[in-house]
Amino acid sequence: MKPRLLQHVAIPPLLATEFNTRYDAHPLWKEADPAAFLARHGHEFTGYVTSARFGVDDATLAAMPNLKVISSFGVGTETLPLEAAQARGIAVGYTPDVLNDCVADTAFGLVMDVARRFSASDRFVRARRWLQGAYPLATRVSGKQLGILGLGRIGQVVARRASGFDMEVRYHNRRPNPAVPYTYESSIESLARWADFLVVVSAGGPETRHLVTASVLRALGPQGFLINVSRGSVIDEDALIQALEEGTIAGAGLDVYADEPRIPERLLALDQVVLLPHLASATNETRQAMAELVVDNLDAFYATGKLRASVPLPA
Ligand code: 8YV
């Protein structure tokens, strides 16, 4: 008997054929009334396929009394019910590492874009404003100081990218990491004060909510740029908009927002921000690798009872 899985997100076509030979997977998004479907059939499923974006809500989890494994597409875990899963002995898999390069590339692309104003100057060219005069000077990136908030797997790749631009790197984490060669700043404010670019790569969730406050932005200062490729919740977005409007900081490069995909009008109105639609991991190669790990996690779990990449459970 093939394991019966409930799918909240689709598996890419390249993997789907093979996946469907091994699993009896039911697409929840095709149900007109998912709650009614869950109430009738929830007990049939031992596996659940979801993503960092959709996670698993409490009602869905409660409707699946025989659930043994959750396999999530993405590295973020703030939408996953880790404590409830631990209490019920449900294994939770995710897709770390395979997206480090693309997310770090995006962070670095935002560093380049906000400082050198590529997107803004593209708008200038398209509006034919070059005919009236040259574009204003921008800010140099090479050799500057880059602060990383959250020097985890992705943060360390951002640091390596920065070394190729002869930048000095410092970081702030809850605790210093003795294995890295970068200087530790003991507070986010001191990191922001030191940095020309403050790059936010920390995890989302309640522990990191609004770590970047109005006073962190004041410390970053009128020549400083903020980059965020982690979660919108890490930044106090109202404070950020105010800081941008008042020139408290020089600019921001954002891939993530407080209420995606809704972006505040006041943010859209600013020319010194680069706004991306949460695309940091969105390349064909990386999304394929993430999907393969979603399936590998399920294969490993059903063969051995152990995941290939298991979310660290709460202590
Ligand atoms: C994806 C992400 O956009 O991995 C994450 O946590 O935020 C991104 O890679 C997300 O997984 C899609 O749901």
Side-chain angles (χ1 to χ4, degrees):
M1 270 259 285
K2 294 184 207 172
R4 190 139 162 75
L5 305 181
L6 190 57
Q7 258 182 283
H8 196 125
V9 291
I11 298 287
L14 261 176
L15 281 175
T17 320
E18 216 195 310
F19 178 74
N20 287 322
T21 61
R22 292 201 293 280
Y23 298 101
D24 176 9
H26 186 86
L28 186 59
W29 66 90
K30 290 193 179 156
E31 289 301 326
D33 185 348
F37 175 84
L38 273 162
R40 264 198 320 278
H41 298 283
H43 64 279
E44 295 165 15
F45 299 101
T46 56
Y48 194 75
V49 181
T50 187
S51 67
R53 170 152 181 233
F54 294 108
V56 190
D57 61 37
D58 293 344
T60 304
L61 196 65
M64 293 185 290
N66 296 314
L67 194 66
K68 299 278 176 287
V69 59
I70 295 168
S71 187
S72 178
F73 181 91
V75 70
T77 61
E78 73 280 4
T79 55
L80 298 171
L82 300 184
E83 273 170 28
Q86 189 176 31
R88 282 177 49 184
I90 299 167
V92 186
Y94 69 151
T95 64
D97 292 320
V98 291
L99 42 62
N100 294 353
D101 283 321
C102 279
V103 178
D105 291 352
T106 302
F108 223 83
L110 285 169
V111 166
M112 291 297 289
D113 199 339
V114 283
R116 299 297 309 274
R117 301 184 59 89
F118 294 142
S119 293
S121 58
D122 176 272
R123 290 192 287 275
F124 172 88
V125 170
R126 288 172 197 277
R128 305 205 174 281
R129 288 171 51 205
W130 196 8
L131 297 167
Q132 276 93 56
Y135 192 74
L137 302 184
T139 303
R140 178 184 166 112
V141 170
S142 298
K144 291 288 180 68
Q145 299 181 173
L146 184 127
I148 299 179
L149 176 55
L151 193 76
R153 299 182 178 94
I154 297 169
Q156 293 187 43
V157 184
V158 174
R160 288 212 306 272
R161 301 282 183 275
S163 74
F165 282 75
D166 304 319
M167 297 175 97
E168 195 187 331
V169 171
R170 292 189 185 179
Y171 72 102
H172 176 77
N173 280 358
R174 261 170 304 181
R175 280 173 293 282
N177 178 350
V180 300
Y182 313 110
T183 300
Y184 178 72
E185 288 285 341
S186 59
S187 76
I188 305 174
E189 269 168 53
S190 65
L191 182 68
R193 198 164 301 114
W194 171 83
D196 298 304
F197 298 90
L198 179 63
V199 182
V200 180
V201 210
S202 58
E207 299 93 53
T208 58
R209 187 179 152 75
H210 288 190
L211 280 184
V212 176
T213 56
S215 81
V216 168
L217 296 168
R218 274 196 299 280
L220 185 57
Q223 316 295 326
F225 295 93
L226 180 77
I227 312 299
N228 189 7
V229 291
S230 75
R231 287 292 183 261
S233 59
V234 183
I235 291 174
D236 178 344
E237 200 170 85
D238 290 334
L240 172 63
I241 293 171
Q242 194 174 343
L244 288 161
E245 285 174 345
E246 293 173 359
T248 309
I249 66 169
L254 308 173
D255 187 43
V256 288
Y257 308 87
D259 184 23
E260 295 171 15
R262 284 161 288 277
I263 315 284
E265 286 298 326
R266 284 164 66 199
L267 206 46
L268 295 174
L270 297 169
D271 203 43
Q272 75 277 36
V273 293
V274 179
L275 304 172
L276 303 182
H278 198 150
L279 52 62
S281 70
T283 62
N284 288 314
E285 295 88 340
T286 289
R287 287 290 168 87
Q288 179 70 14
M290 289 163 71
E292 278 168 16
L293 189 44
V294 166
V295 178
D296 283 355
N297 269 333
L298 291 167
D299 290 349
F301 180 82
Y302 282 107
T304 68
K306 288 216 180 334
L307 294 157
R308 236 191 77 196
S310 178
V311 174
L313 290 174

